[in-house]
Amino acid sequence: MGAVNGNLFGFPHDYAHAGTVVIGVPWDVTTSYQDGTCQGPGAILRASPQLDFYDFDNPEAWRQGIYMLPVPAWLMDENQRLRPDAIAVIHGAEQGISPADSPDLTAALERVNQGCQTMSHWVSQQTQAALQHQKKIIIIGGDHSVPLGGLKALAQRYLSFGILHLDAHSDLRNAYEGFQESHASIMFNALQLPQISKLVQVGIRDVSHGEMALIQGSDGRIVTYLDTQLKQAAYGGQSWLHQCQTIVRNLPKQVYISCDVDGLDPKLCPHTGTPVPGGLNLEEVYCLWREVVRSGRRIIGGDICETGNHEWDGNVSARILYKLFSLMNLDGDDK
């Protein structure tokens, strides 16, 4: 299948002829554990031609066309410029010094928050342009803050949709460490969009008391399946397929899939920004996504975030990307 030509998967597609556009976002400014996921889009691109492309669910998926926008160098430069500011704020917090106590930290925090808004605006613009050209979108990161602009753009097109969220973390913190668009705040920020009617989280295993209180007080808008609960049900004899069908029943007709690779078993993407023991294997994830489509729901977009800058992580994430692309193109016409 196709020679390596610098394109995603080595496919002979361009923007005009691709049904799906991939937006790579080189951004990990607010990462609080280990950085490097800003290089994730590049790692996925480099690994992608090594795959074979017969897909169990959609053998001819590649014919639908998938194209990755060039990763913007200016955004990578901005990421590198702002990362020291974020580190200063994080280290200050670890020492009990808040930006309110330090003019230098106040200025650093303001620069980071402005930079994150600039990044989100760019992602929103690219998403809007793709949607206007009747294309589907997948955003790849980068840390998990990067899809917010895409979600805002989708909210302008769809009156109501849900998010199926795979992650080790609930990401429901309000301005974590002072960063308004922190990777740990993506779902809190997404839920400020009234068009998002449901958030269904799967694989969560690092969650704060405050986040659990938010979940429990959401009146069913947030449904969270903890990794421990899923495994306990399996130990009791529930098949994973049955659990997937139960999870999917919580979702509305239109579904956006948000995949933080730290939701997987860390052996799959060990260089992710915030790895946590436990998690799902790839086929468990694919089974869940497959049930979304089989149930008659429509995947309207998605993201794959927190891929580390390593050959293996890029290889695994490229496979996740191709599966998501394949399943998105089984769900009919959403125009």
Side-chain angles (χ1 to χ4, degrees), residues 70-135:
V71 176
W74 70 267
L75 199 53
M76 177 68 83
D77 291 344
E78 189 74 351
N79 184 84
Q80 300 306 104
R81 183 180 72 85
L82 292 172
R83 181 64 179 148
D85 283 335
I87 290 173
V89 173
I90 292 167
H91 286 175
E94 291 170 348
Q95 298 166 22
I97 305 171
S98 77
D101 302 324
S102 165
D104 288 345
L105 291 182
T106 297
L109 180 60
E110 289 176 354
R111 287 192 294 269
V112 170
N113 284 334
Q114 181 58 53
C116 289
Q117 291 172 15
T118 298
M119 177 273 294
S120 287
H121 181 66
W122 178 81
V123 174
S124 181
Q125 287 181 315
Q126 302 309 312
T127 304
Q128 289 175 22
L131 294 175
Q132 287 169 2
H133 287 95
Q134 306 302 312
K135 300 180 187 301

Side-chain angles (χ1 to χ4, degrees), residues 4-323:
V4 178
N5 55 12
N7 284 353
L8 185 68
F9 300 117
F11 289 167
H13 303 136
D14 57 18
Y15 188 97
H17 298 95
T20 299
V21 170
V22 176
I23 304 168
V25 191
W27 194 263
D28 63 355
V29 171
T30 66
T31 299
S32 50
Y33 186 57
Q34 59 186 17
D35 55 20
T37 60
C38 63
Q39 303 282 353
I44 293 171
L45 178 61
R46 290 192 303 273
S48 64
Q50 303 307 315
L51 279 63
D52 285 323
F53 298 105
Y54 180 91
D55 182 81
F56 170 81
D57 295 292
N58 191 355
E60 299 300 311
W62 74 275
R63 296 183 184 277
Q64 302 297 316
I66 183 169
Y67 174 78
M68 181 173 170
L69 297 176
V71 176
W74 70 267
L75 199 53
M76 177 68 83
D77 291 344
E78 189 74 351
N79 184 84
Q80 300 306 104
R81 183 180 72 85
L82 292 172
R83 181 64 179 148
D85 283 335
I87 290 173
V89 173
I90 292 167
H91 286 175
E94 291 170 348
Q95 298 166 22
I97 305 171
S98 77
D101 302 324
S102 165
D104 288 345
L105 291 182
T106 297
L109 180 60
E110 289 176 354
R111 287 192 294 269
V112 170
N113 284 334
Q114 181 58 53
C116 289
Q117 291 172 15
T118 298
M119 177 273 294
S120 287
H121 181 66
W122 178 81
V123 174
S124 181
Q125 287 181 315
Q126 302 309 312
T127 304
Q128 289 175 22
L131 294 175
Q132 287 169 2
H133 287 95
Q134 306 302 312
K135 300 180 187 301
K136 299 181 180 183
I137 61 103
I138 300 175
I139 298 164
I140 58 174
D143 71 35
H144 209 169
S145 69
V146 304
L148 183 60
L151 289 165
K152 289 179 177 179
L154 286 165
Q156 294 177 23
R157 176 168 181 176
Y158 294 96
L159 293 176
S160 178
F161 64 98
I163 299 176
L164 177 58
H165 174 208
L166 170 68
D167 206 319
H169 310 88
S170 205
D171 289 348
L172 289 168
R173 298 173 186 264
N174 183 3
Y176 184 58
E177 296 175 321
F179 303 125
Q180 294 169 354
E181 295 190 9
S182 167
H183 66 103
S185 302
I186 177 62
M187 294 306 158
F188 180 90
N189 291 332
L191 288 172
Q192 306 314 303
L193 299 170
Q195 294 89 340
I196 297 176
S197 61
K198 202 84 168 188
L199 171 62
V200 179
Q201 306 184 301
V202 181
I204 309 301
R205 49 198 189 278
D206 253 12
V207 60
S208 71
H209 284 78
E211 288 173 304
M212 285 303 299
L214 184 63
I215 293 165
Q216 292 163 357
S218 72
D219 196 27
R221 189 182 182 201
I222 309 171
V223 179
T224 301
Y225 290 88
L226 300 176
D227 194 51
T228 296
Q229 295 171 318
L230 295 171
K231 288 183 169 57
Q232 191 70 20
Y235 302 152
Q238 281 192 32
S239 72
W240 178 243
L241 179 60
H242 175 77
Q243 292 194 69
C244 289
Q245 292 166 344
T246 300
I247 292 167
V248 167
R249 279 197 288 270
N250 293 285
L251 290 163
K253 177 70 173 179
Q254 315 281 2
V255 179
Y256 177 94
I257 289 179
S258 186
C259 176
D260 184 328
V261 298
D262 70 29
L264 304 171
D265 186 317
K267 70 187 179 189
L268 293 168
C269 288
H271 300 88
T272 188
T274 315
V276 182
L280 303 178
N281 287 312
L282 278 190
E283 285 300 333
E284 291 174 321
V285 174
Y286 298 165
C287 180
L288 177 59
W289 293 354
R290 195 175 288 126
E291 288 309 305
V292 172
V293 176
R294 288 182 175 175
S295 71
R297 290 166 173 82
R298 179 175 297 146
I299 302 173
I300 63 170
D303 64 71
I304 301 164
C305 293
E306 302 284 355
T307 299
N309 184 26
H310 189 274
E311 181 180 359
W312 176 245
D313 299 61
N315 183 310
V316 171
S317 293
R319 295 171 188 279
I320 299 170
L321 174 59
Y322 193 72
K323 176 57 74 173

